[in-house]
């Protein structure tokens, strides 16, 4: 045998129980003797580490009906070998139906058969013990994992609150201009970000960013972009650095800072500057889809622009576009998460459907949000951010 085992030997006949205990001991098991059914039952209630129970089939004080009810309640799963003076087929079948592992008839002449039976019981108990240890380890690991997940969820929720506070107030009203936004994260933290703020007396700089991936690392990249634009706004006053007026300059700086971050993140972006006095727009696109949509009395159209996403190539090139805005208009920018919830299957059909929604629903950002179903989306397959700039006569 690989290791010694422990056997509970139960028989009301003292001479037989001692002889059986001596035999069991010779087969490598440490015997524990009980001569009453009540004593054995109380012993089992202490949940001992046993490998096998050898019990007299016709034990005094032991009835099959009572045993059938009481022993399974102990949930020990200890193999039981029954021993009888009679080779009765009915008794054997009854014992096996009850759940006995083996049945022997006195005299115990075939010691090797008994030894194999006890060894089989011992291995069975070893397997069950290992399964029980594995179950306990798994339960402990699951408990630890649940605790870790709860802490992470709390951290994510806290991060979400911080990220939401980073967003600009909505709506921001400047005379005839209204700036507003909405963000629907697919997780607690969003890789989509939008911002807008006044620069001087007549300009508003805005941005839409869609950082690759999801979760904390993507959210950290949005913090970097927020900080970059805040710094450049401050540099205009402190250092006379006018980069905040230049969408191309801001994209180049964002490109360098994301690459220096070295976390494998990149972002598609749209950066624009509205001159509220001249009613003009200067903007640049960095690989962003869908492209900005301008809606006016003349209809809805995409504002075209090309350029690489920021954070990929050090020598990325960006184009700056300048347009005169209509007297009355709505400019809408979305992250690409909006494309995931549109009905059409392919990108071209989605873009065509998208522009049709604008043509049919151009009264207000609120109506557009309703038409696109954003007011009914609780969780999305991808982050969705939307920025609206409106002007009414």
């Amino acid at each position: 045998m690989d290791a010694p085992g422990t056997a509970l030997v139960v028989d009301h006949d003292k001479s037989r129980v001692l002889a059986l205990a001596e035999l069991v001991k010779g087969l490598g098991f440490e015997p524990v003797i009980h001569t009453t059914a009540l004593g054995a039952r109380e012993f089992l209630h202490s949940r001992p580490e046993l490998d096998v129970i050898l019990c007299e089939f016709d034990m005094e004080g032991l009835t099959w009906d009572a045993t059938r009810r009481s022993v399974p309640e102990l949930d020990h799963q200890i193999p039981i070998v029954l021993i009888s003076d009679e080779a009765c087929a009915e008794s054997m079948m009854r014992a096996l139906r009850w759940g006995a592992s083996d049945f022997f008839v006195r005299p115990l002449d075939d010691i090797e058969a008994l030894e194999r039976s006890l060894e089989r019981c011992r291995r069975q108990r070893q397997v069950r013990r290992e399964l029980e240890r594995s179950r306990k380890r798994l339960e402990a690991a699951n408990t630890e994992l649940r605790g870790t997940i709860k802490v992470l969820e709390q951290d994510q929720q806290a991060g979400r609150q911080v990220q939401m506070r980073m967003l600009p107030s909505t709506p921001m009203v400047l005379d005839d201009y209204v700036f507003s936004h909405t963000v629907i994260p697919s997780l607690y933290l969003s890789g989509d970000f939008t911002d807008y703020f006044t620069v001087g007396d007549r300009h508003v700089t805005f941005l839409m960013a869609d950082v690759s991936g999801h979760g904390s690392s993507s959210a950290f990249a949005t913090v970097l972009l927020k900080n970059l634009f805040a710094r450049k706004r401050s540099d205009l006053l402190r250092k006379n650095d006018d980069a905040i007026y230049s969408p191309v300059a801001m994209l180049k700086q964002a490109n360098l800072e994301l690459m220096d971050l070295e976390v494998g993140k990149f972002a598609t972006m749209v950066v624009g500057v509205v001159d509220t006095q001249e009613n003009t727009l200067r903007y640049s696109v960095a690989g962003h889809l869908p492209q900005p949509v301008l809606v006016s009395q003349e209809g809805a159209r995409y504002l075209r622009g090309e350029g690489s996403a920021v954070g990929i190539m050090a020598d990325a090139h960006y184009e700056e576009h300048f347009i005169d805005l209509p007297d009355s208009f709505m400019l809408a920018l979305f992250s690409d998460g909006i494309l995931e919830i549109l009905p059409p299957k392919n990108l071209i059909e989605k873009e065509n459907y998208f522009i049709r929604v604008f043509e049919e629903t151009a009264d207000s950002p609120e109506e557009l949000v309703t038409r696109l179903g954003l007011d009914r989306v609780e969780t999305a397959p991808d982050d969705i951010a939307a920025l609206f700039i409106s002007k009414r006569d």
Side-chain angles (χ1 to χ4, degrees), residues 140-270:
N142 285 338
T143 299
E144 183 179 357
L145 181 59
R146 284 193 293 268
T148 301
I149 289 174
K150 187 171 183 60
V151 171
L152 289 175
E153 287 179 346
Q154 292 171 343
D155 288 346
Q156 292 266 311
Q157 290 171 345
R160 175 65 178 154
Q161 293 300 317
V162 172
Q163 192 174 33
M164 292 300 292
R165 292 177 183 274
M166 289 168 47
L167 293 168
S169 60
T170 184
M172 183 179 77
V173 181
L174 300 172
D175 298 326
D176 296 331
Y177 294 87
V178 179
F179 295 78
S180 61
H181 72 271
T182 184
V183 175
I184 302 172
S186 59
L187 301 172
Y188 285 114
L189 298 177
S190 176
D192 290 4
F193 187 74
T194 187
D195 200 4
Y196 42 82
F197 47 84
T198 58
V199 181
D201 298 329
R202 54 188 282 187
H203 294 93
V204 177
T205 295
F206 64 87
L207 69 118
M208 170 66 69
D210 186 349
V211 181
S212 60
H214 303 276
S216 300
S217 59
S218 297
F220 291 151
T222 67
V223 174
L224 179 145
L225 294 174
K226 170 75 174 181
N227 178 263
L228 166 63
F229 279 76
R231 290 199 327 265
K232 288 303 180 181
R233 184 190 188 191
S234 177
D235 287 348
L236 177 64
L237 299 177
R238 297 188 302 106
K239 301 179 181 179
N240 201 30
D241 179 353
D242 62 357
I244 197 66
Y245 288 121
S246 170
V248 168
M250 293 306 299
L251 286 177
K252 287 183 177 180
Q253 188 63 37
N255 184 56
L256 292 176
E257 295 204 8
L258 265 184
M259 294 192 68
D260 289 343
L261 194 60
E262 295 184 345
V263 293
K265 291 296 178 181
F266 64 89
T268 65
M269 294 182 67
V270 178

